Amino acid sequence: METTQSTCSTPGNNKTGHDIIVVGASAGGVEVLSQLVRALPADLPAAIFVVLHISPNGPSVLPNILNRRSALNALHPKDGEPIEYGRIYVAPPDRHLLVKRGHIQVAHGPKENRHRPAIDPLFRTAARAYGARVVGIVVSGALDDGTAGLMAIKNKGGVAIAQDPQEALYDSMPRSAIENVKVDCILPVSEMAPLLVRLANELVEENEPEDDGSNGELEEESGMAELDMDAMQSSDRPGKPSGYSCPECGGVLWELHDDNLLRFRCRVGHAYSAASLLDNQNEVLEEALWSALRGLKERSVLAQRMAKRSREQGHNLTAQRFEAQAEEAEQHANVIRQVLLKGADEQNGAGEQVSR
């Protein structure tokens, strides 16, 4: 895909700067974030918010990594902490990082695109709170978390930036953003810092864009990330019921359309892009196949044991029935084994393509 570089159209003229910068990263993101913050000045008149997909079961060392490379102060914020310029707020493990007007919310809300922290809730709440003052950046990562949130930023008058997919270690996230959002800039990481400095010092007007019907949906989805009961229990839900169930809780998924972007969300707030839902369904299917393989192998072993006992007791016809059951279980187990092996080969092939 051909990309245009260093061309930007940004709103603004008379109120305040683009002082809310939100960055979403996944696989390959640590290197990108380190390079980006290294070039930012200590007196940057903006606050930076970062979501990196990480394991929920251990501590995050990203603030320490960024502090060794940046003149800005990186930290995991506390819930309710006021927003200050010159800081890099990093989402803590297993918590969504959400932006409120004047302060930060750290919430154990429903997973989005199978992640907590997820990028879309950060982007969405920043767009709701600060509108045109927000700059959203999507960098290296797999699948497409961040695309829907970047679209919300753009719809509220903010600036949308994507890393050049040709330099991204994993290009799926920035490529999805470019394909689905009218991004303002497609840049290599080396060119992002000077642009952010200019945008932070460029005055913008905070006029609300015309309501196209998306404001209610933005409020509803932002509320779900905060575990707001009114949002979860609302009967006026965006979208329409789909024929799919939520892999997390088993509830009905509602189908949402943002232009050409297809998304799904259940009643309690678990959210998926079409790609992440398909990926999750693959995992659920694989788990079911492994469970079936285990059950069939246990059935075969038990039937063989019963056949042996029957022969020792002289019940040959009964032994034959048990032996037939054992053979049938082995045949079915072999079919499932072949399916699992084929799936592993396909994943290995996809991994080799990514590495190339």
Side-chain angles (χ1 to χ4, degrees), residues 328-343:
E328 181 182 42
E330 284 293 336
Q331 290 174 350
H332 291 165
N334 188 56
V335 171
I336 292 177
R337 178 176 174 274
Q338 294 302 320
V339 172
L340 288 168
L341 288 173
K342 182 178 180 181

Side-chain angles (χ1 to χ4, degrees), residues 43 101 165 294 304-305 307 312:
D43 60 351
R101 190 77 178 189
R294 172 188 53 77
Q304 290 171 2
R305 181 177 178 182
E312 289 173 348

Side-chain angles (χ1 to χ4, degrees), residues 106-257:
V106 179
H108 193 261
K111 292 181 180 180
E112 297 206 19
N113 295 316
R114 305 171 59 211
H115 294 289
R116 187 175 52 231
I119 300 166
D120 282 336
L122 168 63
F123 283 19
R124 193 180 294 119
T125 54
R128 178 182 64 168
Y130 287 100
R133 289 165 60 177
V134 179
V135 178
I137 306 173
V138 174
V139 298
S140 177
L143 295 180
D144 55 6
D145 191 20
T147 296
L150 195 65
M151 184 176 293
I153 290 172
K154 186 65 178 175
N155 289 342
K156 296 291 281 186
V159 179
I161 300 173
Q163 182 184 9
D164 186 347
Q166 295 181 12
E167 75 154 18
L169 187 59
Y170 294 86
D171 67 358
S172 295
M173 273 181 22
R175 193 173 296 278
S176 173
I178 293 165
E179 291 174 351
N180 291 283
V181 182
K182 294 180 179 178
V183 298
D184 298 287
C185 312
I186 304 170
L187 296 174
V189 178
S190 61
E191 296 183 24
M192 289 184 184
L195 173 62
L196 295 180
V197 172
R198 177 170 70 81
L199 289 173
N201 289 280
E202 176 184 273
L203 297 180
V204 299
E205 186 175 0
E206 287 193 81
N207 291 339
E208 278 288 320
E210 293 184 8
D211 187 4
D212 58 358
S214 63
N215 284 344
E217 183 175 312
L218 181 62
E219 289 289 335
E220 192 92 14
E221 294 198 275
S222 297
M224 286 183 175
E226 302 164 9
L227 280 180
D228 181 87
M229 293 304 295
D230 290 337
M232 288 191 288
Q233 294 175 358
S234 173
S235 59
D236 186 22
R237 302 178 61 82
K240 60 182 181 179
S242 73
Y244 310 112
S245 59
C246 174
E248 288 280 337
C249 66
V252 174
L253 287 172
W254 291 64
E255 185 174 314
L256 305 168
H257 292 268

